[in-house]
């Protein structure tokens, strides 16, 4: 029996694409609330229907687009990290990251996978502010990683010292 909370169901990452800095996200994941901002380019207006979470056929505000992209990025990142497939990481992260950043993520994930580790639990994202500046947006957040960490895939147990804050 695993010593960590049950994993939540995964949601597909179907939201608007955004370029984000992986290093800032990983630093925030490890450090908790560090006050770091993630700089993102505003995504183009989608020609297709709005995301499934939007019930009315109205256009999203720029802030809503940024938050949708941020949510999609985080969901895709979790799925990619736990896919245990470099091909899948590249496919899932292509809408969100530049090729060089994806290559860094693949190296990071391969190191985890080589040790037989994957992520478990749920990170709770608290967006403190979204600032729009022309074609860029800055998302200021504080991540609660207390219910997440690394799991040894062979034992199902938490990797000592990996629990979040």
């Amino acid at each position: 029996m695993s010593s960590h909370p049950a994993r939540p169901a995964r949601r597909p990452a179907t939201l608007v694409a955004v370029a984000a800095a992986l290093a800032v996200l990983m630093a925030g994941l490890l450090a908790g609330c560090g006050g770091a901002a993630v700089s993102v380019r505003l995504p183009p207006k989608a020609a297709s229907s709005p995301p499934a979470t939007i019930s009315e056929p109205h256009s999203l505000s720029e802030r809503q687009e940024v938050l949708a992209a941020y949510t999609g990025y985080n969901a895709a990142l979790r799925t990619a990290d736990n896919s245990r497939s470099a091909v899948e990481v590249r496919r899932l992260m292509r809408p969100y990251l530049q090729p060089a950043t994806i290559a860094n993520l693949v190296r990071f994930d391969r190191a985890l996978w080589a040790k037989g580790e994957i992520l478990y639990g749920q990170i709770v994202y608290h967006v403190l502010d979204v600032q729009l500046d022309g074609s860029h947006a800055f998302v200021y957040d504080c991540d609660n990683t207390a219910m997440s960490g690394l799991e040894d895939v062979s034992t199902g147990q938490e990797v000592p010292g990996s629990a979040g804050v």
Side-chain angles (χ1 to χ4, degrees), residues 24-36 38 70 73-74 77 122-128 139-148 164-165:
V24 173
L25 179 66
M26 291 313 225
L29 178 87
L30 298 173
C33 301
V38 175
Y70 180 76
Y73 166 77
N74 286 313
L77 180 62
Q122 178 87 18
I123 298 172
V124 179
Y125 299 96
H126 299 281
V127 174
L128 305 174
V139 176
Y140 298 87
D141 73 343
C142 176
D143 303 342
N144 178 351
T145 60
M147 299 303 289
S148 64
V165 293

Side-chain angles (χ1 to χ4, degrees), residues 106-119:
V106 167
R107 278 192 291 280
F108 172 82
D109 283 337
R110 281 184 171 153
L112 282 181
W113 303 333
K115 293 189 288 186
E117 297 173 355
I118 60 170
L119 300 171

Side-chain angles (χ1 to χ4, degrees), residues 12-93:
T14 59
L15 300 174
V16 182
V18 65
L22 177 63
V24 173
L25 179 66
M26 291 313 225
L29 178 87
L30 298 173
C33 301
V38 175
S39 173
V40 297
R41 285 184 290 183
L42 290 178
K45 299 277 185 206
S48 61
S49 62
T53 57
I54 305 299
S55 59
E56 308 234 352
H58 63 282
S59 59
L60 299 175
S61 70
E62 287 182 333
R63 184 180 194 283
Q64 289 170 320
E65 285 184 23
V66 168
L67 292 174
Y70 180 76
T71 300
Y73 166 77
N74 286 313
L77 180 62
R78 171 58 64 123
T79 302
D81 287 340
N82 285 347
S83 71
R84 301 175 74 185
S85 164
V87 171
E88 192 69 358
V89 170
R90 287 183 191 96
R91 183 187 70 76
L92 288 166
M93 299 315 296

